[in-house]
């Protein structure tokens, strides 16, 4: 048998039932041996843990593969417990344990009376680090893809000088790009590079390597500044991120310097419900003194 529920639209969140094919007859050879056919996904590998493990592990691997490959995108409704029980010819308890395990791993969201849905992964970034977006996406178990939207070399405008904190006008490189996690946009990037400080950037195409990764590997930076705020997506941003206009976005603005020379200014926009920032810190000497003898944290 095959698990053949078709994926919904990436933004689907409705409780519409996934259509499953009617139960197929077991192959003649299997009938002759008196064995039931095992349910495996249509695109399952020929060998591997799912082929030799328990039925619980097989069902778990099948569903994980559909999710991680993007075949079942975020928001897609997973077949119901009853449907999975019928497909895999197993007990409802086995299916329930699989879905519970997936929910604990934050891969599936279980909604009372609605069913189970592929969960949108939440990205976590360190506030005080210059993080690699590609590594961030891969850490979520999603394939990464980068797309350059626009590149223009020009003389800096007043707004560019303010963004880069330049004392005088000069050549800049303006780039716009999209970072993807699986089939969905993950982050919209708008970047200015100060070509007076990084002239070699002017000859790069940035078709294959994102500008942030290129800068980290080519230009040593000595200081950086992060500004973090919430913002509503305008029509253009919403279209690129595939969210509704006015949707909340997490905006990270960053400047970096080499010595006293500004290197780059970047504005990163993330769909607000899918990203969070994390900071680890220790109390100052004053804080330790104030907390001495107290159980408050």
């Amino acid at each position: 048998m095959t698990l053949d529920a078709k994926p919904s639209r990436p933004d689907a969140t409705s409780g519409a039932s996934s259509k499953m094919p009617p139960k197929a007859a077991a192959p003649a050879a299997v009938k002759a041996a008196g064995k039931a056919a095992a349910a495996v996904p249509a695109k399952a590998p020929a060998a591997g843990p799912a082929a030799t493990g328990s039925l619980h592990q097989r069902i778990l691997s099948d569903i994980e593969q559909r999710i991680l490959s993007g075949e079942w995108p975020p928001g897609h409704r997973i077949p119901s417990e009853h449907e999975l029980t019928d497909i895999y010819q197993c007990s409802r308890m086995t299916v329930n344990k699989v879905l519970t395990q997936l929910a604990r791993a934050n891969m599936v969201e279980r909604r009372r009376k609605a069913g189970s849905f592929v969960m949108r992964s939440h990205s976590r970034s360190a506030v005080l680090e210059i993080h690699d977006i590609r590594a961030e996406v891969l850490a979520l178990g999603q394939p990464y893809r980068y797309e350059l939207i626009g590149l223009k070399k020009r003389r800096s405008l007043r707004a560019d000088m303010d963004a880069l904190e330049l004392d005088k006008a000069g050549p800049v490189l303006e780039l716009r790009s999209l970072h993807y996690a699986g089939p969905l946009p993950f982050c919209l990037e708008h970047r200015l590079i100060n070509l007076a400080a990084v002239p070699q950037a002017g000859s790069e195409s940035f078709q294959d390597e994102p500008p942030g990764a290129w800068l980290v590997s080519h230009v040593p930076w000595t200081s950086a500044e992060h500004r973090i705020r919430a913002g509503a997506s305008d029509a253009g941003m919403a279209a690129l991120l595939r969210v509704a206009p006015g949707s909340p976005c997490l905006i990270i603005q960053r400047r970096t310097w080499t010595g006293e020379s500004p290197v780059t200014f970047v504005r990163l926009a993330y769909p607000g419900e899918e990203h969070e920032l994390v900071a680890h810190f220790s109390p100052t000497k004053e804080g330790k003194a104030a907390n001495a003898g107290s159980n408050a944290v």
Side-chain angles (χ1 to χ4, degrees):
M1 295 185 179
T2 59
L3 186 60
D4 195 25
K6 294 183 179 180
S8 62
R9 291 173 58 84
D11 57 352
T13 56
S14 70
S17 174
S18 297
K19 301 297 183 182
M20 303 296 297
K23 188 165 60 177
V30 177
K31 282 184 176 180
K35 298 180 181 179
V40 296
K43 298 182 180 180
T52 59
S54 66
L55 182 56
H56 173 278
Q57 184 59 45
R58 186 175 303 158
I59 300 171
L60 181 67
S61 297
D62 290 353
I63 296 176
E64 283 181 338
Q65 181 202 23
R66 293 290 180 99
I67 294 173
L68 295 178
S69 69
E71 184 177 350
W72 286 355
H76 175 78
R77 182 186 179 279
I78 291 173
S80 68
E81 287 187 13
H82 177 77
E83 291 169 325
L84 290 172
T85 296
D86 186 56
I87 292 167
Y88 286 95
Q89 296 294 291
C90 64
S91 69
R92 189 165 180 174
M93 181 180 296
T94 299
V95 170
N96 184 272
K97 287 181 178 179
V98 169
L99 294 177
T100 298
Q101 185 173 343
L102 290 167
R104 288 175 178 169
N106 293 323
M107 296 184 71
V108 164
E109 177 186 6
R110 307 188 74 181
R111 303 177 192 169
R112 185 176 176 81
K113 296 183 179 181
S116 299
F117 298 82
V118 178
M119 182 178 287
R120 287 183 177 271
S121 298
H122 285 236
S123 170
R124 304 177 69 185
S125 295
V127 178
L128 302 180
E129 296 179 3
I130 295 181
H131 57 279
D132 179 16
I133 296 177
R134 179 178 182 275
E136 189 177 351
V137 169
L138 294 178
L140 296 173
Q142 297 287 328
Y144 171 79
R145 181 167 66 89
Y146 157 78
E147 177 185 351
L148 181 67
I149 300 173
L151 180 151
K152 186 176 182 180
K153 190 189 303 185
R154 55 178 174 76
R155 192 162 182 80
S156 59
L157 306 174
R158 181 71 255 177
D160 304 329
M161 295 172 62
D162 292 341
L164 285 164
E165 296 190 346
L166 296 173
D167 295 330
K168 58 182 181 180
V172 296
L173 187 66
E174 180 181 21
L175 305 104
R176 296 185 76 217
S177 51
L178 263 176
H179 303 265
Y180 287 83
L184 299 177
F186 179 76
C187 172
L188 175 62
E189 174 180 336
H190 180 213
R191 183 182 294 271
L192 293 170
I193 298 177
N194 178 17
L195 291 178
V198 194
Q200 63 269 39
S203 59
E204 293 292 324
S205 68
F206 295 106
Q207 289 289 340
D208 300 316
E209 185 176 16
W214 185 90
L215 285 166
V216 167
S217 62
H218 287 78
V219 184
W221 60 276
T222 56
S223 61
E225 173 191 84
H226 273 165
R227 291 181 181 270
I228 304 159
R229 64 182 179 85
S233 59
D234 57 28
M237 184 190 300
L240 290 170
L241 289 175
R242 300 185 198 171
V243 298
S247 296
C249 289
L250 177 67
I251 309 296
I252 301 176
Q253 294 184 173
R254 181 170 64 239
R255 296 182 180 91
T256 56
W257 291 263
T258 293
E260 299 298 319
S261 180
V263 172
T264 186
F265 168 84
V266 62
R267 182 178 185 267
L268 304 171
Y270 298 82
E273 296 181 354
E274 300 168 28
H275 198 88
E276 62 183 1
L277 295 172
V278 180
H280 294 276
F281 52 91
S282 301
T284 61
K285 293 181 179 179
E286 293 80 3
K288 288 181 180 179
N291 288 330
S294 171
N295 291 325
V297 293

